[in-house]
Amino acid sequence: MNFSLLNECVQTLTDEDVLEAMKKIPGYLDITPSDFLQIYQIAFDHAVSRIKTAIKANQIMTRQVIVVGEDAPLVEVATQMAENDISGLPVVNKDRIVVGVISEKDFLKGMNDLKTPSFMRVLLQCLDNSHCIESSFKNLSAAEIMSSPPVTVETTASILDVASTMDRFNINRVPVVDENTKLAGIIARSDLVQAMC
């Protein structure tokens, strides 16, 4: 995730904004609007930098995580995702260790002969009756289509590390694990944006 995108939640100050603010400060100010704006920008950059490292994953993660077991049938996985309006979830073993992640892309990859994660390509295969594989697909388990090994972050990771991980692996959510590598929560891109605003 590009942190410059996160900064979009903060309105950009204009010279007029600064001038109006300076007028409201009683007494004489020996500073120009340009100087004030420069100080503000430095202070803002410092605050953003501080927030990026001060806020940890366990402070912004969602603790109630919807998960499936590695042996769960894909019908159960799809039902969980549809009923909870989520596009992906962690797959855990009996010890609540994250062993994989399933997203809509994994379903599309599994239903497409070309392994291209495209909804329209899957739809086309079904519509032209050339090869719609959903009937055999529904007999598979979560472990058979999940992305593994999973990308995870630790509870003590800074949000800068979390954002960098999500950006590097081009993922929209990342499971958070504790010191025993057990699932502790999950962070979505929207959680990062909310933490910065």
Side-chain angles (χ1 to χ4, degrees), residues 23-94:
K23 287 179 183 175
K24 292 185 177 180
I25 297 175
Y28 175 73
L29 286 178
D30 188 17
I31 186 171
T32 67
S34 176
D35 292 337
F36 186 93
L37 194 57
Q38 188 175 7
I39 291 170
Y40 171 81
Q41 188 60 53
I42 292 170
F44 177 78
D45 291 345
H46 182 269
V48 169
S49 176
R50 177 174 45 79
I51 291 169
K52 287 177 186 175
T53 55
I55 299 176
K56 305 300 181 189
N58 62 358
Q59 295 174 282
I60 66 168
M61 67 184 185
T62 299
R63 295 177 190 279
Q64 299 296 321
V65 185
I66 298 164
V67 301
V68 292
E70 53 193 331
D71 297 327
L74 289 188
V75 172
E76 178 185 327
V77 178
T79 300
Q80 286 281 5
M81 292 170 63
E83 290 184 350
N84 292 288
D85 195 25
I86 53 177
S87 59
L89 46 69
V91 181
V92 296
N93 66 15
K94 61 180 177 49

Side-chain angles (χ1 to χ4, degrees), residues 172-187:
N172 295 319
R173 72 201 62 77
V174 60
V176 183
V177 296
D178 65 16
E179 62 278 8
N180 298 314
T181 69
K182 293 186 178 183
L183 181 65
I186 194 165
I187 295 175

